[in-house]
């Protein structure tokens, strides 16, 4: 029985090690730095240490198994340590573009072919999924073969949000039509998990992304994938300010704000909408209803006052919703500020009584 338990333990340890090392970039520590044109990537896991340092534009073979060119007399060095063993490849390009490839096992240089070539292919399989090395050539290659869809298929296999954004940026340099642009935006919203990287991609490309109804719809849907109140409010305010979005799209946008918990950020979105867009009655009422979720008297009063300033006269239903929202304003100071604005509206007798009760 003891022998069985011991063998089982060995199997568990073996499985854990193989699982942990099967993906080079299932890392516990990742760093990326650029210094004087040289890029260095370091990855450390409990079992391995991996480094890639390079300079210049790296061109890969069509099957991503080899490096066929390096620009500007650049170089690439790939090094991996695992369980006390160290392997390294150094590839240099001279001024004529000719490559010199060297393979080291430990400190000893070994013939590049066939073992070094085989190891390079194994490393590149992971490197292209997790770094921007060879990205431009790969995007061009996939785009030539299958257009936008082929590039997006490859992006979906990438393992880093930062790298995904780089590939999307390269794809957006192509001659993209309306349908393809919407496809790219929808893909980015689905694939990029980082709120930071997704919001940057949307904001940096908002002029291209917000040219027509389809791309605007996709932009707003992608914004809905952002969970950070800060980042989603920035993206939504860009959408409000940079495009003549229609009432249906404003309704879509307001649905997203229902998930914003910060009084500060939801107020920024609402006041930007009220200040910069002519809202129909349905969307104005929606903002007033959503303002009930604002806990801060200060921020709630900002929204209600902006709503009152947004048009000369609110309809009766909007006024009723606004007055109900006022009931939760506990501060006499903020309540009085709203009342000053409300008194300029056409109030029914019950509304007048309601306002007097607040006074």
């Amino acid at each position: 029985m003891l022998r069985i338990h011991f063998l089982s333990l060995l199997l568990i340890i073996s499985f854990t090690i193989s699982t942990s090392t099967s993906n080079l970039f299932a890392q516990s520590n990742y760093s990326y730095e650029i210094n004087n044109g040289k890029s260095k990537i370091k990855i450390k896991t409990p079992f391995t240490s991996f480094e890639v340092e390079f300079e210049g534009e790296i061109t890969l073979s069509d099957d991503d198994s080899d490096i066929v060119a390096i620009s500007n007399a650049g170089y690439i060095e790939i090094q991996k340590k695992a369980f006390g063993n160290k392997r390294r490849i150094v590839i240099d390009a001279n001024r004529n573009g000719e490559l010199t490839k060297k393979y080291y096992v430990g400190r000893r240089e070994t013939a590049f072919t066939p073992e070094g070539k085989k190891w390079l292919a194994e490393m590149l399989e992971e490197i292209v999924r997790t770094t921007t090395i060879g990205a431009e050539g790969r995007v061009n290659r996939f785009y030539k073969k299958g257009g936008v869809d082929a590039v997006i298929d490859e992006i979906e296999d990438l393992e880093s949000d930062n790298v995904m954004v780089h590939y999307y940026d390269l794809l957006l340099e192509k001659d993209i039509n309306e349908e393809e642009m919407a496809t790219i935006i929808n893909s980015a919203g689905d694939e990029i998990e980082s709120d930071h990287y997704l919001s940057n991609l949307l904001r940096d490309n908002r002029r291209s992304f917000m040219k027509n109804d389809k791309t605007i719809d996709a932009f707003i849907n992608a914004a809905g994938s952002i969970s950070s109140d800060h980042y989603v409010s920035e993206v939504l305010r860009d959408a409000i300010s940079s495009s003549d979005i229609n009432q249906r799209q404003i309704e879509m946008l307001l649905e997203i704000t229902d998930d914003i918990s910060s009084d500060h950020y939801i107020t920024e979105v609402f006041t930007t909408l009220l200040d910069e867009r002519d809202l129909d009655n349905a969307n104005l009422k929606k903002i007033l209803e959503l303002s009930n979720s604002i806990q801060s008297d200060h921020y709630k009063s900002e929204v209600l006052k902006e709503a009152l300033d947004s048009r000369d006269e609110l309809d009766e239903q909007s006024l009723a919703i606004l007055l109900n929202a006022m009931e939760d304003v506990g501060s006499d100071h903020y309540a009085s500020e709203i009342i000053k604005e409300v008194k300029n509206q056409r109030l029914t007798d019950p509304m007048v009584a309601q306002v007097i009760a607040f006074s």
Side-chain angles (χ1 to χ4, degrees):
M1 184 66 72
L2 180 62
R3 177 178 174 79
I4 293 174
H5 287 320
F6 180 69
L7 289 175
S8 298
L9 180 61
L10 286 178
L11 287 171
I12 292 170
I13 293 172
S14 176
F15 175 77
T16 302
I17 292 173
S18 63
T19 302
S20 299
T21 57
S22 63
N23 185 339
L24 183 61
F25 292 92
Q27 72 270 16
S28 57
N29 191 336
Y30 176 95
S31 66
Y32 176 74
E33 61 183 59
I34 301 176
N35 187 19
N36 295 325
K38 297 179 180 180
S39 299
K40 181 178 285 188
I41 301 164
K42 293 181 179 180
I43 300 100
K44 289 184 179 179
T45 77
F47 304 103
T48 63
S49 172
F50 179 83
E51 291 184 14
V52 180
E53 183 177 305
F54 64 97
E55 183 175 13
E57 182 65 33
I58 310 294
T59 302
L60 306 177
S61 60
D62 286 346
D63 60 359
D64 294 327
S65 68
D66 197 6
I67 292 172
V68 296
I70 305 176
S71 66
N72 302 324
Y75 72 96
I76 184 169
E77 181 175 344
I78 303 168
Q79 177 177 287
K80 182 181 178 183
K81 297 177 183 177
F83 305 106
N85 298 317
K86 177 180 176 180
R87 287 195 277 183
R88 181 167 62 104
I89 281 179
V90 180
I91 304 176
D92 289 296
N94 63 23
R95 293 183 178 180
N96 296 322
E98 297 169 335
L99 299 183
T100 301
K101 300 179 180 180
K102 295 182 179 181
Y103 175 54
Y104 299 85
V105 177
R107 296 182 179 180
R108 181 172 58 86
E109 182 177 353
T110 305
F112 180 79
T113 304
E115 290 302 317
K117 186 174 183 179
K118 179 182 177 182
W119 188 69
L120 176 61
E122 293 173 358
M123 294 299 97
L124 287 175
E125 185 177 351
E126 295 287 351
I127 288 171
V128 297
R129 295 284 191 269
T130 321
T131 76
T132 59
I133 291 174
E136 184 173 358
R138 299 186 80 236
V139 168
N140 291 339
R141 190 170 80 235
F142 290 120
Y143 185 79
K144 186 176 180 180
K145 288 181 179 179
V148 168
D149 289 341
V151 179
I152 287 178
D153 285 345
E154 180 59 24
I155 289 174
E156 290 174 354
D157 288 333
L158 300 175
E159 298 175 11
S160 162
D161 288 338
N162 180 39
V163 178
M164 284 185 185
V165 170
H166 187 69
Y167 273 68
Y168 281 120
D169 283 337
L170 290 170
L171 177 57
L172 289 167
E173 294 176 2
K174 306 299 182 184
D175 186 16
I176 305 298
N177 63 37
E178 175 182 325
E179 294 281 348
E180 292 170 335
M181 188 69 77
T183 299
I184 292 170
I185 301 168
N186 285 323
S187 170
D190 290 339
E191 297 300 324
I192 300 175
E193 295 182 1
S194 163
D195 291 342
H196 169 73
Y197 285 119
L198 178 56
S199 64
N200 280 354
L201 179 69
L202 294 174
R203 300 190 73 199
D204 290 346
N205 296 281
R206 59 186 178 273
R207 288 179 181 155
S208 299
F209 285 171
M210 305 197 69
K211 286 187 174 180
N212 54 68
D213 277 353
K214 286 187 177 180
T215 57
I216 294 172
D217 284 357
F219 185 96
I220 295 173
N221 282 327
S225 302
I226 301 173
S227 58
S228 160
D229 290 349
H230 166 67
Y231 288 120
V232 73
S233 67
E234 286 189 328
V235 173
L236 294 181
R237 283 187 291 127
D238 278 348
I240 295 164
S241 302
S242 64
S243 176
D244 291 324
I245 57 178
N246 60 39
Q247 298 299 324
R248 177 185 59 79
Q249 290 159 342
I250 291 174
E251 183 180 357
M252 291 171 56
L253 189 150
L254 287 173
E255 289 177 4
I256 295 172
T257 66
D258 201 23
D259 293 326
I260 298 177
S261 58
S262 163
D263 289 347
H264 168 71
Y265 291 119
I266 197 169
T267 298
E268 284 191 336
V269 175
F270 287 166
T271 53
T272 303
L273 263 173
L274 290 163
D275 184 53
E276 300 189 18
R277 293 291 171 226
D278 291 326
L279 303 179
D280 63 16
N281 286 337
N283 283 322
L284 177 59
K285 291 171 191 172
K286 183 68 174 176
I287 288 178
L288 293 171
E289 289 169 354
L290 290 170
S291 70
N292 277 315
S293 66
I294 300 175
Q295 301 299 311
S296 161
D297 288 346
H298 166 68
Y299 288 121
K300 181 174 287 190
S301 68
E302 289 294 309
V303 173
L304 298 183
K305 287 190 297 180
E306 193 68 48
L308 288 163
D309 289 340
S310 67
R311 58 183 66 182
D312 293 334
E313 189 173 297
L314 270 62
D315 69 276
E316 187 173 329
Q317 283 186 323
S318 295
L319 273 172
I321 297 170
L322 185 145
L323 291 173
N324 287 335
M326 275 185 62
E327 292 182 355
D328 292 328
V329 178
S331 164
D332 292 341
H333 168 71
Y334 291 119
S336 64
E337 286 190 340
I338 302 168
I339 289 170
K340 289 176 185 178
E341 301 290 337
V342 168
K343 287 179 177 179
N344 296 323
Q345 297 289 319
R346 184 180 299 177
L347 303 175
T348 64
D349 289 342
M351 289 178 181
V352 172
Q354 196 173 358
V355 170
I356 292 172
F358 292 143
S359 301

